Amino acid sequence: NLKQTDMKYSKLLIISLTLFPCCDYGMATNLASSIKTRTNVHSFAEFGYDLRDMKANCDLNDIRDAVDIYRNGKNAKDGETTFRSLKKCSTIANSADYLFEPTFAFQMYGLAGGSVENYMNHATFADDYVEQFFSDNNGISCHYAVEAALNLNLWTHAAHKLWQGSETCAKVEQGQLNLEAAGIDFIPYYDQFLAMWIGFGQKDLGTSKGHSLYANAQKIGDKFGTTSPQSSVNTNILSLYERASGLLSTGCSNNLTNDAANGLWKINTQIISQMMIPHIQHLIEAMKMNDSLRVKLYATIVLPQMSQCRRSTFNLLKKELLDQDFHLLKFSTLLHELQTTYECFGVTCRDIGTYNGDPSTACHDPSPTSAFAGYIPSTNVRQQAKIDLDIHQMDILLDFDNDAAWNIAKNIYWNGKNSMMHRDDTSEPLEFRSLRIMANFQFLSSVSFYNYFTQYFNETHYAHAAIMDSFDNLEAGLYTQSKIQRKAVILKTIQTHVIWMQAVAEMGDALQDCQNGNRNDNDGNADGWDEVAAYLIGSLEGPATGGSAYNHDGQLIWNIANKFGFDFGRDNSDNYAITNAFIRNLLLAGKGEIFAGDCNNLFMTMSKLQHITLIPMIQGVIKYAVLNENLSFDSQSTNVATGVVFAKSILPIVDSYDASSALMIKANLIPQEGQKLVREGPQAVVDAFLPILHEFGIECNFIGKYKGIDPCKNYVYVQPENPNPINPGSGAKSLTCSLLLTFISVAV
């Protein structure tokens, strides 16, 4: 949580900003008590008076005048004779810059049912909703229309201003926009956001006597016990606004570092999380009161944003709250499912509160040591596990055939969005873990596997280079990738190269911590072995042993192993991959060895775990060898790109054992001009893995069969040349057969 401050200390820094030429540079705007912006955002604050006057008309059953204010505006002047209107706050969403901002992109994706096929049909969802209420032409529906105009139209437009601000700053820093040449002294959008959030008519920061989003947060916060006297949402938003002010006070400059823009991205992410809280509170109240119209209203804004979270939870709640009428008998079940999404939104049970003190609406945040797919950590690594949310959200955005959406995905890769770094003092600026930093982390150089990859690809940051090439639409090898292929390269490289290598690095770190006698020598006092589990399993799998029953939830190696376990007939009686059963057992064994200070056996366990997590990569190569057989080298199939990534995820390791095997895999999976893919057949590719299976001590039937292709067809057991595992840091490669076969015998 952001540091809570007393209301009287919630002051706003005066930003060194001025508006674009359409606005008056010289006049500040007074908002609620002593709050004063540097720029003139008077017309944006006037939306509060439009909402006030619409409500008054509804009270008088004067629907026509309420509709006229909504459609044409009344108080918010946009010129001498024109007005801003709440309707336009929604209808301008058809503009290109609005459509593919993070908040709005996920909104459309969610409203389209988790699809990009018809997302444009929902661009004006807020206006459609308000006009539908007005069409009923009665006082009750009129009030619903005003409530929707506030919580849908104005809310989404306020969020738009945040992203407009950070994007403009990024353009300045990248040299795409010259403020001086454009006649712009400063960037105004954060002032505009604040004007819409507070609005005119808010006299006191500690009351709900107002008409805009600030007063709305106060009113619903009172009911949930989160005001004192200022709501925590409003306190936090004002504090974050101050931080944005600090970044902008020195201005965005053309320095190509994106320092200010990246900082604003992180601040925007936190502000949006706070902005979601009143919506969630309203939804809970509507469910508790069995107010079906308001359930639908608030589900319309909350549920689409939930598409960023666990797919199975989103699908369930969308079906129960948005696609059909709410049933009060399901209140407890659905509330619990809703509460499981708080962590994804970056909020806590304390942030939401309890409705009117009713214990049936209370919740408890997950324990810091809640299980991941049955593994119970001893320390808090929940934030590390949330890195899978970054991948999930990138997955959604990369589905859009739009460069702006891809740019958002690149920002998530570059800056992070969900996995928060530990802070000793919550008043310090929040930082996110980022996949980009993981891909470039210098600590990886101490990992032998990493050195195999850098030597094989002759590139220190080989994974980052592949990801950025795909983002920037550079040619990959001898053929130009389609957009779906570029997406496959980005996501699969992150999963099988970046995150897997991070997990391997954490294994070595945990061993070193054991040897040093300090298992918590990590960020936030986390146990390094717990971090291994977090990066192998992730947050989206949930706590149940085996992970999520819905195989589209997870995003890390655990999920890949489960999918391939089913594909290759290597799932157990509990319906998850045998590979993952071994991974879980090894994680639990390592945890016990750390607590016992048994570092020698921890090393043995680590060695087994490093090798067994390669099995999904081997299965991936086999699967795509089958699917890509005889395809043209320049095929635009996503299977080709996926096969390339899986091949590259294992080639450097195979090459370090048997160069001829690596050449066989490369010749068949990596496109070569004029050559068909897998021209020697998938069985030849499978057989190329036999030497490495010998070295790892893995029997062929542990891999399983895929579409008749059988690793055991030409398998002959041979005792490994080096039967004793040696520290991977020394460059040794072998894993003893007897050690791993004890695990394999459980499954076969």
Side-chain angles (χ1 to χ4, degrees):
N1 293 331
L2 294 168
K3 184 178 182 181
Q4 300 295 307
T5 56
D6 188 80
M7 176 198 65
K8 66 182 180 180
Y9 297 117
S10 293
K11 58 186 178 65
L12 298 176
L13 297 179
I14 298 176
I15 306 180
S16 298
L17 302 173
T18 52
L19 291 175
F20 288 102
C22 65
C23 308
D24 188 340
Y25 294 127
M27 296 178 62
T29 301
N30 293 312
L31 300 170
S33 302
S34 60
I35 295 179
K36 185 176 182 180
T37 63
R38 173 65 179 268
T39 58
N40 182 352
V41 289
H42 194 91
S43 64
F44 292 93
E46 292 278 16
F47 279 126
Y49 286 152
D50 276 10
L51 289 160
R52 175 201 63 188
D53 294 346
M54 288 168 62
K55 183 177 182 298
N57 284 322
C58 293
D59 289 339
L60 298 172
N61 207 34
D62 186 354
I63 314 301
R64 186 181 65 180
D65 281 357
V67 171
D68 184 66
I69 295 172
Y70 170 73
R71 292 177 179 170
N72 302 309
K74 177 184 176 183
N75 298 283
K77 281 194 172 184
D78 191 25
E80 291 297 323
T81 59
T82 58
F83 293 86
R84 303 183 191 277
S85 75
L86 289 160
K87 182 181 180 73
K88 291 177 185 175
C89 287
S90 173
T91 56
I92 65 169
N94 277 313
S95 64
D97 62 331
Y98 205 118
L99 284 173
F100 292 102
E101 294 166 347
T103 307
F104 204 73
F106 290 121
Q107 184 70 21
M108 291 191 298
Y109 178 84
L111 286 172
S115 169
V116 299
E117 294 301 319
N118 60 344
Y119 67 90
M120 283 297 296
N121 294 344
H122 304 279
T124 58
F125 78 97
D127 178 58
D128 296 341
Y129 208 90
V130 174
E131 291 285 5
Q132 180 182 345
F133 276 128
F134 275 135
S135 68
D136 292 341
N137 201 34
N138 63 68
I140 295 175
S141 292
C142 183
H143 280 289
Y144 278 119
V146 176
E147 189 172 350
L150 171 67
N151 287 283
L152 302 184
N153 301 52
L154 192 62
W155 188 93
T156 53
H157 196 53
H160 162 65
K161 290 299 177 181
L162 295 174
W163 297 115
Q164 201 172 9
S166 61
E167 180 63 21
T168 302
C169 183
K171 288 179 179 178
V172 173
E173 291 184 332
Q174 294 165 9
Q176 299 174 15
L177 174 65
N178 186 307
L179 294 178
E180 183 178 356
I184 303 165
D185 291 333
F186 299 99
I187 298 171
Y189 299 114
Y190 286 86
D191 272 0
Q192 294 173 6
F193 160 78
L194 194 69
M196 287 186 283
W197 185 262
I198 298 176
F200 283 150
Q202 183 72 43
K203 301 300 182 184
D204 190 325
L205 292 178
T207 74
S208 58
K209 294 180 180 178
H211 314 292
S212 199
L213 294 161
Y214 186 100
N216 180 57
Q218 288 290 125
K219 290 173 187 175
I220 194 64
D222 283 340
K223 296 179 181 180
F224 279 79
T226 57
T227 57
S228 181
Q230 188 181 49
S231 78
S232 58
V233 168
N234 286 328
T235 300
N236 291 338
I237 286 177
L238 295 182
S239 176
L240 287 163
Y241 177 80
E242 291 179 7
R243 292 179 184 175
S245 300
L247 284 174
L248 289 169
S249 62
T250 56
C252 303
S253 58
N254 182 7
N255 55 20
L256 300 180
T257 64
N258 282 18
D259 290 341
N262 291 345
L264 292 174
W265 164 276
K266 296 167 187 175
I267 289 171
N268 290 354
T269 298
Q270 296 171 77
I271 292 178
I272 296 297
S273 292
Q274 293 298 309
M275 291 171 68
M276 287 298 301
I277 291 173
H279 289 327
I280 295 171
Q281 292 170 328
H282 275 299
L283 178 58
I284 294 171
E285 178 187 45
M287 291 166 61
K288 184 64 180 176
M289 301 304 294
N290 199 23
D291 185 338
S292 59
L293 284 176
R294 282 194 170 88
V295 167
K296 198 75 70 178
L297 191 162
Y298 290 103
T300 298
I301 191 71
V302 173
L303 268 298
Q305 293 299 317
M306 202 179 291
S307 65
Q308 303 175 67
C309 306
R310 205 177 188 209
R311 290 183 193 271
S312 56
T313 304
F314 163 67
N315 289 338
L316 171 65
L317 290 176
K318 182 176 183 294
K319 175 185 175 183
E320 296 289 346
L321 298 178
L322 197 56
D323 296 341
Q324 62 190 33
D325 291 335
F326 168 70
H327 295 286
L328 186 59
L329 291 175
K330 298 181 179 180
F331 172 78
S332 296
T333 300
L334 297 180
L335 177 61
H336 172 72
E337 292 294 331
L338 176 63
Q339 290 167 342
T340 65
T341 68
Y342 292 174
E343 192 173 31
C344 168
F345 282 127
V347 302
T348 66
C349 289
R350 182 178 179 181
D351 293 330
I352 302 298
T354 303
Y355 179 63
N356 286 337
D358 184 342
S360 70
T361 65
C363 82
H364 302 284
D365 291 313
S367 165
T369 56
S370 293
F372 302 115
Y375 173 83
I376 302 175
S378 57
T379 57
N380 187 356
V381 290
R382 297 195 66 80
Q383 288 301 323
Q384 286 90 326
K386 285 175 65 179
I387 197 68
D388 60 357
L389 285 169
D390 282 13
I391 303 172
H392 169 54
Q393 291 164 16
M394 289 175 64
D395 189 0
I396 292 172
L397 293 162
L398 295 175
D399 265 347
F400 288 96
D401 187 16
N402 180 278
D403 289 343
W406 277 58
N407 192 51
I408 301 170
K410 185 193 287 188
N411 275 332
I412 294 177
Y413 170 74
W414 200 266
N415 296 309
K417 184 175 179 287
N418 296 280
S419 180
M420 293 182 284
M421 299 290 289
H422 173 75
R423 292 180 293 172
D424 291 324
D425 184 348
T426 55
S427 66
E428 296 174 354
L430 181 63
E431 296 291 335
F432 293 98
R433 287 176 184 81
S434 83
L435 294 161
R436 184 257 312 179
I437 290 177
M438 287 184 179
N440 291 280
F441 195 27
Q442 295 302 317
F443 173 65
L444 295 174
S445 61
S446 64
V447 180
S448 63
F449 279 148
Y450 178 74
N451 294 324
Y452 298 160
F453 280 79
T454 58
Q455 292 167 15
Y456 185 86
F457 293 118
N458 195 30
E459 170 65 61
T460 302
H461 304 301
Y462 62 93
H464 175 69
I467 291 166
M468 292 307 297
D469 282 352
S470 291
F471 268 125
D472 297 335
N473 198 20
L474 301 178
E475 289 190 3
L478 297 171
Y479 66 103
T480 302
Q481 296 173 313
S482 65
K483 212 154 197 173
I484 58 172
Q485 288 179 318
R486 290 163 57 202
K487 173 185 174 178
V489 169
I490 291 167
L491 296 180
K492 291 303 177 187
T493 300
I494 289 171
Q495 292 169 329
T496 63
H497 291 65
V498 177
I499 299 296
W500 179 79
M501 193 64 73
Q502 182 73 25
V504 170
E506 295 295 349
M507 294 178 204
D509 186 50
L511 177 63
Q512 185 175 25
D513 291 344
C514 178
Q515 293 167 340
N516 294 337
N518 185 2
R519 68 182 182 86
N520 302 120
D521 186 22
N522 297 287
D523 184 46
N525 294 319
D527 185 324
W529 197 253
D530 290 339
E531 292 185 297
V532 173
Y535 291 129
L536 290 176
I537 301 170
S539 69
L540 291 168
E541 293 290 352
T545 299
S548 175
Y550 185 70
N551 68 3
H552 293 294
D553 276 338
Q555 289 287 348
L556 305 184
I557 290 297
W558 187 275
N559 178 259
I560 295 173
N562 269 343
K563 288 178 178 176
F564 288 162
F566 301 140
D567 288 344
F568 283 75
R570 299 304 295 159
D571 52 320
N572 60 21
S573 58
D574 292 321
N575 296 316
Y576 68 98
I578 292 172
T579 299
N580 282 339
F582 293 142
I583 290 175
R584 177 176 175 270
N585 288 342
L586 290 167
L587 287 170
L588 294 174
K591 180 180 177 182
E593 289 154 1
I594 288 172
F595 273 93
D598 187 356
C599 303
N600 288 333
N601 277 321
L602 175 63
F603 165 70
M604 304 286 278
T605 299
M606 178 189 75
S607 299
K608 299 172 193 176
L609 187 57
Q610 288 176 344
H611 289 84
I612 205 168
T613 53
L614 292 173
I615 290 172
M617 278 71 136
I618 296 172
Q619 291 171 324
V621 173
I622 296 170
K623 176 177 178 176
Y624 289 97
V626 172
L627 297 178
N628 294 337
E629 185 177 12
N630 288 323
L631 288 182
S632 171
F633 77 96
D634 57 356
S635 168
Q636 298 295 289
S637 168
T638 186
N639 288 338
V640 173
T642 305
V644 167
V645 176
F646 274 113
K648 288 184 175 181
S649 74
I650 196 74
L651 272 172
I653 298 172
V654 175
D655 184 67
S656 69
Y657 284 85
D658 190 307
S660 62
S661 293
L663 287 173
M664 173 65 74
I665 295 168
K666 179 180 179 180
N668 284 276
L669 270 296
I670 308 299
Q672 301 176 59
E673 189 170 12
Q675 300 289 333
K676 289 188 178 296
L677 292 167
V678 200
R679 58 187 179 277
E680 296 176 75
Q683 188 65 51
V685 174
V686 172
D687 292 345
F689 282 110
L690 296 185
I692 193 173
L693 295 183
H694 289 314
E695 291 291 338
F696 284 4
I698 300 174
E699 289 189 352
C700 58
N701 58 4
F702 193 56
I703 303 296
K705 302 176 184 179
Y706 184 75
K707 295 186 180 297
I709 301 301
D710 186 0
C712 291
K713 181 177 180 180
N714 299 312
Y715 179 86
V716 177
Y717 174 72
V718 177
Q719 179 73 21
E721 293 180 7
N722 183 356
N724 296 309
I726 303 174
N727 190 327
S730 70
K733 309 165 186 175
S734 296
L735 179 68
T736 178
C737 174
S738 60
L739 287 171
L740 195 50
L741 286 179
T742 59
F743 289 88
I744 296 173
S745 63
V746 175
V748 296

